[in-house]
Every structure is written in C-alpha cells, then in structure tokens.
Amino acid sequence: MVKIASVIGATGYVGSAVVKSLFEHGFDVVRAASRSPANASWLSSLGPEGGVQIMPLTLTNEGGSSLEELGQLMRGSDAAFFCAGFEEQSPSTIDFMVNNALDVIKVAKQENVKSVVLTSSGGSTNPAGLTDSTPKSEVLHFSDPSAQIAAGKISPAAKTLMEIRAFEAVGRDHANKITDAALASSSPRLCIMVPNLILGPQLDPGPIKGNSLPWICKIVKKQRMNESIPNDSMSIIDVRDLASLHVACALNPSASGRYFGVNKSFPWREILNTIAEVHECYVPPPLNEAEDYESKVTTQFDHTRKNSLGVALRDLESTLRDLVEYLKSKNAI
Ligand SMILES: NC(=O)c1ccc[n+]([C@@H]2O[C@H](COP(=O)([O-])OP(=O)(O)OC[C@H]3O[C@@H](n4cnc5c(N)ncnc54)[C@H](OP(=O)(O)O)[C@@H]3O)[C@@H](O)[C@H]2O)c1
C-alpha cells in the first residue's frame, strides 16, 4: 500500500528535514505545503521522482479559513506533521500556533489520518523553581503560560498553550492521561516533539535563515560570545535526528504524547571547543576567571521516552562538523 504523509511547514528548517526523512523511512508520497509553491520546487529533490507533491496552504492566525486546503492536503495521509511556526513575541503568535494545531487535529480526525505530530519547543518545559539538576520529564514538567505571557515570553507561551489545547482536543491532559475516553478513542494519535536548539545543514538551497543558524553563524564568526565562554549549557539536537524522531513518532503505533527532541544539554565550553576542533579558523574566547565552570550543572533530561522511539542520535562533533561544512559551502563563515 502507498504510504502518504502531509507536512505543514515543509519548506522550513525542520519541515524539510522531515520530508527527507519520511522517504528514508519508507513513505512513498509526501504532500508538502507552502504559502508559495512556486518557491518550494526545490523540495522535489528530497524524494524520488513524483514523490513530493507541493501544495498551496496559507494559514491565518485565526485558523478556520484553511480547512478546505488542509483537507485536500491531508486526505488519504497516514500521518500529518505540523512543523509550521515562528517565534515573534506578539500575541498573534499564540493564535497562530494554537488555532492551526487545532485545525490540523480537527481535519486529521475528519480525514481519518491516524497520527499527528506537532513541532513545539523546549520553552514549554520550564515550570517555576525547576533546577537544572532535576531531570526534566515530558510528563511532569510544563511551563505556566500565564506567567510566560506576564513575563513577555509570548513565543514560548504559544508553544505551551498549543500543547495544552492540542492534548484537550484529543481527550487527554497535558501529561497525556486520558480525560475523555470517547474523544481519545475517536481522535488521531497525537505526538509532540519538544526541541531546544536545532543545528545541522539546512536543506533549503536559498540563503541561511530561520531561528538557529544565523545566530550560530555569528558565534562562529566571533560576532557573538566573543568575550568569554558562558558558564552555561545549551540543549542541542541535529536537525536530521529531530526529523527521524518526528517520523518515528508517526511510525510507532504506541508512541503518544510529548517527546524531548534533545540529544542532551552541552556546556558552552564543550560546544565552543568542538567548533574549534572542526573549524580551524575558530578560536574560542577565554574562560571567565570569576566563574566556577566545574560546579555548573547542565540541564538534565529523563531520556527514557525519547529513547523508546529507537532513533540513534549523532554526537555533537558530527553535527558541528557537518554544520561548519554547510556554512562554508554557503560562504557564510
Ligand atoms: N529552529 C530552531 O532552532 C527551533 C528550536 C525549537 C523550536 N522550533 C520550532 O519549530 C518549528 C519549526 O521551526 P523552523 O526552524 O523549521 O522554522 P522555519 O524554518 O522558519 O519554517 C517555518 C515554516 O512555517 C511555514 N509557515 C509560516 N507561516 C505560515 C503561514 N501563515 N501559513 C502556512 N505556512 C506557514 C513556512 O512555510 P512557507 O514560508 O513556505 O509558507 C515554513 O515552512 C517552529 O514552531 C519553531 O518555533 C525551532
């Protein structure tokens, strides 16, 4: 039987990696949505001839207006991926993430799509008072969206609220416990990927763009983080591994709920020293003598649920080596 998937946000850094990964994991057809299909023709090279079907889709902040387009996109699909999104600190970001995730779930239900995978972000996993040494858990740790909004953290709040409302829509609570058995049994299987910093080569052949690559480019060019190595850590995943985790969620019939899309949290000292190993022109800044780097604990994660998806993750050096090669190929560093 032909295996079909739909990807919303297919032209994005994450979405395009998901498109590629779907073909690597046995899908035959990927319906790839974009607001401007004419500019998305490069997606065709990510699969076999005729495998990528590029379709128009313009989502609004209010949602609701794209149900017909979503229906056409998702009809006959085994799985749907909602990788669209942006990180503007504006209330409309909340509307966009929540309303469109709910529309995707609604249309998946109508069209009998078995699984829906949403791309969220680690901003949803920060309850007040959680220390770095307490391993974060997908089923225990949730940000407070009201506190996030009050603090002006609108984009993370958008992801927190998207998750809460999406779980409600499939008859579950935020910890993925069933709260409405009838709704849960009549809804698509919902998985939510929760990444922090995503690194690795961008598939879009155009200019480097998005949330993470322009920033890391500045670090490699020493326009940022030049004075001293921060005594802090960053939770990282390779974009190709994150895509494989998305696809594993769709393929594994028992996968359900939130999954960290994180390899682990690395100290900046390790990250910057590894960049120096793979990029001969880069010299890390000095340590800050006032800081106690040895005692700093990196953010800890409970990796059990993520590991249950059975995806082998690249090490930091492989990710950074491929990233540096990619940035060089774009004359960006
Ligand atoms: N990159 C990171 O390090 C990172 C980390 C954590 C979480 N995330 C989250 O992961 C998700 C994907 O991030 P990304 O880096 O892949 O973003 P990206 O590269 O900027 O891609 C965004 C995608 O969303 C689509 N899109 C935006 N507005 C749309 C609209 N009105 N209607 C239809 N499609 C629309 C775009 O499609 P077209 O322009 O083709 O229409 C594009 O494919 C986001 O929610 C982001 O917050 C990213």
Side-chain angles (χ1 to χ4, degrees):
M1 223 168 76
V2 176
K3 271 179 99 70
I4 304 175
S6 325
V7 181
I8 296 136
T11 54
Y13 185 43
V14 176
S16 56
V18 169
V19 171
K20 187 165 187 229
S21 183
L22 283 161
F23 290 111
E24 290 164 355
H25 291 90
F27 279 79
D28 304 291
V29 171
V30 177
R31 309 241 181 87
S34 174
R35 282 169 294 183
S36 40
N39 296 331
S41 55
W42 58 272
L43 287 170
S44 302
S45 68
L46 303 182
E49 206 178 329
V52 180
Q53 298 177 354
I54 300 164
M55 300 176 71
L57 178 72
T58 298
L59 303 173
T60 60
N61 296 335
E62 298 73 29
S65 58
S66 323
L67 294 175
E68 187 51 44
E69 279 175 317
L70 274 175
Q72 283 168 17
L73 182 82
M74 289 161 63
R75 198 154 297 145
S77 293
D78 300 284
F81 298 83
F82 179 62
C83 308
F86 42 81
E87 300 186 1
E88 282 165 31
Q89 300 299 334
S90 141
S92 59
T93 304
I94 297 179
D95 296 335
F96 182 90
M97 296 310 303
V98 172
N99 293 332
N100 290 302
L102 291 180
D103 279 355
V104 169
I105 291 169
K106 182 177 178 179
V107 173
K109 196 167 171 173
Q110 277 165 14
E111 299 295 337
N112 205 19
V113 178
K114 289 192 277 299
S115 66
V116 168
V117 183
L118 308 180
T119 314
S120 184
S121 99
S124 71
T125 65
N126 299 321
L130 183 71
T131 59
D132 281 343
S133 55
T134 304
K136 280 194 185 188
S137 151
E138 292 101 328
V139 292
L140 294 179
H141 294 130
F142 312 104
S143 304
D144 173 348
S146 308
Q148 287 180 308
I149 292 169
K153 297 177 177 172
I154 308 293
S155 163
K159 297 298 197 298
T160 310
L161 287 164
M162 174 184 79
E163 293 184 17
I164 292 170
R165 299 289 307 281
F167 276 119
E168 282 170 6
V170 299
R172 290 171 182 265
D173 68 12
H174 204 164
N176 202 33
K177 285 215 182 75
I178 293 176
T179 51
D180 181 332
L183 184 57
S185 65
S186 62
S187 296
R189 185 166 53 77
L190 176 68
C191 293
I192 301 179
M193 291 304 314
V194 189
N196 288 77
L197 179 63
I198 309 169
L199 294 177
Q202 168 187 300
L203 291 171
D204 182 339
I208 292 165
K209 57 179 189 170
N211 301 305
S212 51
L213 295 189
W215 179 63
I216 205 83
C217 221
K218 285 188 179 139
I219 293 174
V220 176
K221 289 200 287 190
K222 305 210 62 172
Q223 294 166 348
R224 289 277 168 89
M225 254 183 229
N226 197 23
E227 294 194 351
S228 62
I229 297 182
N231 186 13
D232 206 346
S233 62
M234 180 54 81
S235 307
I236 296 177
I237 189 149
D238 190 296
V239 66
R240 297 160 290 187
D241 297 337
L242 180 64
S244 298
L245 288 167
H246 278 73
V247 177
C249 280
L251 288 177
N252 183 339
S254 57
S256 173
R258 269 168 138 198
Y259 293 89
F260 289 130
V262 168
N263 181 330
K264 65 174 199 164
S265 190
F266 299 92
W268 274 106
R269 191 158 60 152
E270 183 177 348
I271 299 167
L272 299 185
N273 284 331
T274 308
I275 293 175
E277 277 171 36
V278 298
H279 183 41
E280 62 285 357
C281 307
Y282 180 76
V283 179
L287 293 174
N288 181 343
E289 284 175 14
E291 293 283 348
D292 176 5
Y293 290 83
E294 297 306 326
S295 305
K296 179 75 186 169
V297 177
T298 58
T299 309
Q300 301 296 301
F301 292 89
D302 178 344
H303 297 286
T304 314
R305 282 179 54 77
K306 177 194 72 182
N307 289 346
S308 74
L309 295 172
V311 175
L313 305 180
R314 288 164 175 81
D315 60 20
L316 182 66
E317 186 184 327
S318 308
T319 299
L320 292 177
R321 190 179 295 285
D322 292 350
L323 175 64
V324 161
E325 285 314 307
Y326 163 73
L327 294 175
K328 280 183 184 166
S329 76
K330 301 296 285 184
N331 289 323
I333 55 173

mmCIF file of all heavy atoms in Angstrom, residues 277-294:
data_model
loop_
_atom_site.group_PDB
_atom_site.id
_atom_site.type_symbol
_atom_site.label_atom_id
_atom_site.label_comp_id
_atom_site.label_asym_id
_atom_site.label_seq_id
_atom_site.Cartn_x
_atom_site.Cartn_y
_atom_site.Cartn_z
ATOM 1 N N GLU A 277 37.537 22.469 17.062
ATOM 2 C CA GLU A 277 38.107 21.225 16.515
ATOM 3 C C GLU A 277 37.724 21.014 15.052
ATOM 4 O O GLU A 277 38.492 20.474 14.270
ATOM 5 C CB GLU A 277 37.594 20.019 17.313
ATOM 6 C CG GLU A 277 38.369 19.749 18.579
ATOM 7 C CD GLU A 277 37.673 18.695 19.427
ATOM 8 O OE1 GLU A 277 37.089 17.757 18.867
ATOM 9 O OE2 GLU A 277 37.709 18.853 20.663
ATOM 10 N N VAL A 278 36.512 21.428 14.691
ATOM 11 C CA VAL A 278 36.034 21.130 13.329
ATOM 12 C C VAL A 278 36.189 22.326 12.387
ATOM 13 O O VAL A 278 35.915 22.213 11.200
ATOM 14 C CB VAL A 278 34.548 20.664 13.357
ATOM 15 C CG1 VAL A 278 34.409 19.391 14.167
ATOM 16 C CG2 VAL A 278 33.613 21.755 13.879
ATOM 17 N N HIS A 279 36.621 23.476 12.942
ATOM 18 C CA HIS A 279 36.767 24.681 12.105
ATOM 19 C C HIS A 279 38.067 25.368 12.507
ATOM 20 O O HIS A 279 38.140 26.062 13.525
ATOM 21 C CB HIS A 279 35.565 25.598 12.346
ATOM 22 C CG HIS A 279 35.560 26.829 11.500
ATOM 23 N ND1 HIS A 279 35.908 26.843 10.163
ATOM 24 C CD2 HIS A 279 35.240 28.122 11.799
ATOM 25 C CE1 HIS A 279 35.801 28.066 9.686
ATOM 26 N NE2 HIS A 279 35.408 28.854 10.653
ATOM 27 N N GLU A 280 39.084 25.178 11.668
ATOM 28 C CA GLU A 280 40.445 25.594 12.029
ATOM 29 C C GLU A 280 40.546 27.103 12.291
ATOM 30 O O GLU A 280 41.402 27.551 13.047
ATOM 31 C CB GLU A 280 41.449 25.137 10.948
ATOM 32 C CG GLU A 280 41.260 25.692 9.550
ATOM 33 C CD GLU A 280 40.089 25.068 8.758
ATOM 34 O OE1 GLU A 280 39.417 24.140 9.242
ATOM 35 O OE2 GLU A 280 39.851 25.536 7.642
ATOM 36 N N CYS A 281 39.631 27.902 11.692
ATOM 37 C CA CYS A 281 39.739 29.365 11.851
ATOM 38 C C CYS A 281 39.175 29.846 13.187
ATOM 39 O O CYS A 281 39.347 31.011 13.541
ATOM 40 C CB CYS A 281 38.955 30.080 10.755
ATOM 41 S SG CYS A 281 39.381 29.544 9.126
ATOM 42 N N TYR A 282 38.482 28.984 13.910
ATOM 43 C CA TYR A 282 37.787 29.448 15.108
ATOM 44 C C TYR A 282 38.631 29.244 16.366
ATOM 45 O O TYR A 282 39.120 28.132 16.616
ATOM 46 C CB TYR A 282 36.445 28.720 15.266
ATOM 47 C CG TYR A 282 35.682 29.155 16.501
ATOM 48 C CD1 TYR A 282 35.013 30.372 16.525
ATOM 49 C CD2 TYR A 282 35.663 28.362 17.655
ATOM 50 C CE1 TYR A 282 34.327 30.802 17.667
ATOM 51 C CE2 TYR A 282 34.983 28.771 18.789
ATOM 52 C CZ TYR A 282 34.318 29.994 18.787
ATOM 53 O OH TYR A 282 33.650 30.402 19.917
ATOM 54 N N VAL A 283 38.787 30.305 17.126
ATOM 55 C CA VAL A 283 39.479 30.207 18.425
ATOM 56 C C VAL A 283 38.466 30.607 19.500
ATOM 57 O O VAL A 283 37.939 31.731 19.462
ATOM 58 C CB VAL A 283 40.690 31.160 18.479
ATOM 59 C CG1 VAL A 283 41.373 31.065 19.841
ATOM 60 C CG2 VAL A 283 41.659 30.855 17.352
ATOM 61 N N PRO A 284 38.167 29.706 20.441
ATOM 62 C CA PRO A 284 37.163 30.056 21.452
ATOM 63 C C PRO A 284 37.629 31.225 22.310
ATOM 64 O O PRO A 284 38.847 31.414 22.490
ATOM 65 C CB PRO A 284 37.041 28.785 22.316
ATOM 66 C CG PRO A 284 37.683 27.705 21.533
ATOM 67 C CD PRO A 284 38.683 28.342 20.629
ATOM 68 N N PRO A 285 36.694 32.004 22.858
ATOM 69 C CA PRO A 285 37.100 33.068 23.783
ATOM 70 C C PRO A 285 37.644 32.452 25.066
ATOM 71 O O PRO A 285 37.475 31.244 25.293
ATOM 72 C CB PRO A 285 35.781 33.816 24.036
ATOM 73 C CG PRO A 285 34.710 32.817 23.771
ATOM 74 C CD PRO A 285 35.235 31.906 22.706
ATOM 75 N N PRO A 286 38.290 33.244 25.928
ATOM 76 C CA PRO A 286 38.831 32.681 27.170
ATOM 77 C C PRO A 286 37.719 32.348 28.164
ATOM 78 O O PRO A 286 36.586 32.808 28.009
ATOM 79 C CB PRO A 286 39.696 33.824 27.711
ATOM 80 C CG PRO A 286 39.116 35.062 27.100
ATOM 81 C CD PRO A 286 38.541 34.687 25.770
ATOM 82 N N LEU A 287 38.080 31.546 29.166
ATOM 83 C CA LEU A 287 37.164 31.328 30.281
ATOM 84 C C LEU A 287 37.090 32.615 31.092
ATOM 85 O O LEU A 287 38.037 33.394 31.113
ATOM 86 C CB LEU A 287 37.668 30.185 31.158
ATOM 87 C CG LEU A 287 37.658 28.785 30.521
ATOM 88 C CD1 LEU A 287 38.332 27.775 31.449
ATOM 89 C CD2 LEU A 287 36.236 28.340 30.193
ATOM 90 N N ASN A 288 35.982 32.811 31.770
ATOM 91 C CA ASN A 288 35.826 33.948 32.665
ATOM 92 C C ASN A 288 36.337 33.530 34.045
ATOM 93 O O ASN A 288 35.776 32.619 34.661
ATOM 94 C CB ASN A 288 34.342 34.330 32.722
ATOM 95 C CG ASN A 288 34.085 35.520 33.612
ATOM 96 O OD1 ASN A 288 34.931 35.879 34.433
ATOM 97 N ND2 ASN A 288 32.920 36.116 33.450
ATOM 98 N N GLU A 289 37.387 34.184 34.498
ATOM 99 C CA GLU A 289 38.031 33.748 35.750
ATOM 100 C C GLU A 289 37.115 33.845 36.955
ATOM 101 O O GLU A 289 37.311 33.158 37.968
ATOM 102 C CB GLU A 289 39.311 34.548 35.986
ATOM 103 C CG GLU A 289 40.422 34.057 35.082
ATOM 104 C CD GLU A 289 41.683 34.898 35.201
ATOM 105 O OE1 GLU A 289 41.785 35.685 36.156
ATOM 106 O OE2 GLU A 289 42.548 34.746 34.316
ATOM 107 N N ALA A 290 36.092 34.658 36.866
ATOM 108 C CA ALA A 290 35.167 34.816 38.004
ATOM 109 C C ALA A 290 34.164 33.658 38.091
ATOM 110 O O ALA A 290 33.419 33.557 39.061
ATOM 111 C CB ALA A 290 34.417 36.136 37.862
ATOM 112 N N GLU A 291 34.143 32.819 37.084
ATOM 113 C CA GLU A 291 33.121 31.754 37.027
ATOM 114 C C GLU A 291 33.684 30.418 37.480
ATOM 115 O O GLU A 291 34.854 30.113 37.227
ATOM 116 C CB GLU A 291 32.606 31.597 35.588
ATOM 117 C CG GLU A 291 31.820 32.779 35.067
ATOM 118 C CD GLU A 291 30.400 32.834 35.615
ATOM 119 O OE1 GLU A 291 29.953 31.837 36.213
ATOM 120 O OE2 GLU A 291 29.763 33.895 35.455
ATOM 121 N N ASP A 292 32.808 29.612 38.099
ATOM 122 C CA ASP A 292 33.178 28.245 38.511
ATOM 123 C C ASP A 292 32.546 27.260 37.506
ATOM 124 O O ASP A 292 31.409 26.821 37.687
ATOM 125 C CB ASP A 292 32.665 27.989 39.933
ATOM 126 C CG ASP A 292 32.945 26.558 40.380
ATOM 127 O OD1 ASP A 292 33.604 25.810 39.629
ATOM 128 O OD2 ASP A 292 32.488 26.191 41.480
ATOM 129 N N TYR A 293 33.291 26.960 36.471
ATOM 130 C CA TYR A 293 32.748 26.122 35.385
ATOM 131 C C TYR A 293 32.563 24.672 35.843
ATOM 132 O O TYR A 293 31.677 23.983 35.371
ATOM 133 C CB TYR A 293 33.668 26.167 34.157
ATOM 134 C CG TYR A 293 33.672 27.496 33.435
ATOM 135 C CD1 TYR A 293 34.482 28.550 33.873
ATOM 136 C CD2 TYR A 293 32.874 27.720 32.327
ATOM 137 C CE1 TYR A 293 34.496 29.771 33.236
ATOM 138 C CE2 TYR A 293 32.875 28.948 31.665
ATOM 139 C CZ TYR A 293 33.701 29.972 32.124
ATOM 140 O OH TYR A 293 33.697 31.198 31.479
ATOM 141 N N GLU A 294 33.452 24.210 36.740
ATOM 142 C CA GLU A 294 33.405 22.790 37.137
ATOM 143 C C GLU A 294 32.115 22.458 37.878
ATOM 144 O O GLU A 294 31.575 21.365 37.748
ATOM 145 C CB GLU A 294 34.612 22.450 38.035
ATOM 146 C CG GLU A 294 35.966 22.598 37.352
ATOM 147 C CD GLU A 294 36.087 21.808 36.055
ATOM 148 O OE1 GLU A 294 35.492 20.725 35.976
ATOM 149 O OE2 GLU A 294 36.768 22.286 35.134
#
